[in-house]
Amino acid sequence: MPIERKLKYSKLQYEARARVAKALAHPSRLLILDAIADGEKCVCELTELVDADQSTVSKHLAILKQAGIIADRKDRSKTFYRPTICCLKGFWECIESVLKENLKAQQAAMGR
Amino acid sequence: MPIERKLKYSKLQYEARARVAKALAHPSRLLILDAIADGEKCVCELTELVDADQSTVSKHLAILKQAGIIADRKDRSKTFYRPTICCLKGFWECIESVLKENLKAQQAAMGR
DNA sequence: TCGGCATATGGCTATTATGCCATGAGACAA
DNA sequence: TTGTCTCATGGCATAATAGCCATATGCCGA
């Protein structure tokens, strides 16, 4: 039996998933997602929050948009970004659990 | 009001989250997580599944372990890896939704 | 003890990611 | 038209990743 048969998904499918995960794997991008969770924000607002060069923030936004995680709306000279999906909750919860477990394990190791 | 106040979390917290997300952001590592979801596997089995050099797989495993996502158990000369957390479901579902939405958007664009 | 299997790690190279500066492009007001 | 504000993009330097080979380490069995 070819090894591929033992996998639940194809390599291509894992690559597609990794592309999305990669877009989420940067502190500034997580901050941005949190910031627009309650409502759209323009690039200038996000630039202030992230505290980096405007071009840097713009590139982060392009990465998130390319991954299909956010969408934009242009109004006059501004561009507003918003999440396209509501499912990020599951993502956050997962990350949180890992961090919480790590903390627990760390404390257990300290008390040993 | 300092900008930091406008953030839900501190920069450090976003960095901690990003570190976990980064560990998840590689096709081979996602494949590995899927492979051990049903039960632990040794490095040699995983090496075969991932189809890369044994040293490469070993490094991927070290990254996942360092992030607190998997744990290992040594038995004789083998090392078995297993997930430490059950919460990866939320992560998968999130990624899946994004991909599904992207597909929908793509199809809508085609039919336009 | 010697040899072989299973893993982990160091070293090195190639690729990719990040971030800033400079600049291009569009919208709008004077 | 000109200047300004907002945002996107090209260019470039630096840092981080990924992957392989070679090799060290540990655990047996002969």
Side-chain angles (χ1 to χ4, degrees):
Chain A
M1 180 166 72
I3 293 171
E4 281 280 340
R5 287 285 181 74
K6 294 188 182 177
L7 302 177
K8 296 187 186 166
Y9 299 102
S10 70
K11 300 260 181 184
L12 279 176
Q13 285 176 296
Y14 285 113
E15 281 167 20
R17 286 163 172 73
R19 270 193 293 277
V20 176
K22 210 172 270 191
L24 292 167
H26 189 288
S28 299
R29 295 199 283 272
L30 293 181
L31 189 159
I32 289 171
L33 287 173
D34 232 359
I36 62 176
D38 308 322
E40 61 178 23
K41 282 195 170 49
C42 67
V43 180
C44 55
E45 286 177 284
L46 294 171
T47 297
E48 191 187 17
L49 287 173
V50 172
D51 192 30
D53 193 89
Q54 175 269 319
S55 67
T56 299
V57 174
S58 199
K59 281 179 184 174
H60 281 310
L61 290 166
I63 289 169
L64 287 170
K65 184 182 169 186
Q66 158 71 25
I69 300 167
I70 62 175
D72 60 344
R73 174 182 73 85
K74 294 183 197 307
D75 180 35
R76 296 170 165 272
S77 64
K78 293 192 176 180
T79 310
F80 293 90
Y81 282 90
R82 64 178 184 282
T84 49
I85 49 178
C86 51
C87 71
L88 278 180
K89 199 163 151 286
F91 171 76
W92 286 113
E93 285 172 354
C94 170
I95 303 291
E96 295 296 322
S97 313
V98 175
L99 290 176
K100 209 177 75 182
E101 284 302 314
N102 287 352
L103 195 61
K104 239 197 281 180
Q106 203 179 314
Q107 288 172 339
M110 296 282 282
R112 203 188 303 153
Chain B
M1 181 165 73
I3 293 171
E4 282 280 339
R5 287 284 181 74
K6 294 187 181 175
L7 302 176
K8 294 185 187 168
Y9 300 101
S10 70
K11 301 259 180 182
L12 279 175
Q13 285 176 298
Y14 285 113
E15 280 165 21
R17 287 163 172 73
R19 270 193 293 277
V20 176
K22 209 173 270 192
L24 293 167
H26 188 287
S28 298
R29 295 199 284 271
L30 293 181
L31 189 159
I32 288 170
L33 287 173
D34 231 358
I36 62 177
D38 308 323
E40 61 178 23
K41 283 195 170 52
C42 69
V43 180
C44 56
E45 286 177 285
L46 294 171
T47 297
E48 191 187 17
L49 287 173
V50 171
D51 191 30
D53 194 87
Q54 176 270 319
S55 67
T56 300
V57 174
S58 199
K59 282 179 184 175
H60 281 310
L61 290 166
I63 289 169
L64 287 170
K65 185 183 169 187
Q66 157 70 25
I69 300 167
I70 63 175
D72 60 344
R73 175 181 73 84
K74 295 182 197 308
D75 180 34
R76 296 167 165 274
S77 63
K78 293 191 178 182
T79 310
F80 293 89
Y81 283 89
R82 65 177 183 283
T84 50
I85 49 178
C86 52
C87 70
L88 279 180
K89 200 164 149 288
F91 170 75
W92 287 113
E93 285 172 354
C94 171
I95 303 291
E96 294 296 322
S97 312
V98 175
L99 290 174
K100 209 176 76 183
E101 283 303 313
N102 287 352
L103 195 61
K104 239 197 281 180
Q106 202 179 316
Q107 288 172 339
M110 295 284 281
R112 204 187 301 153

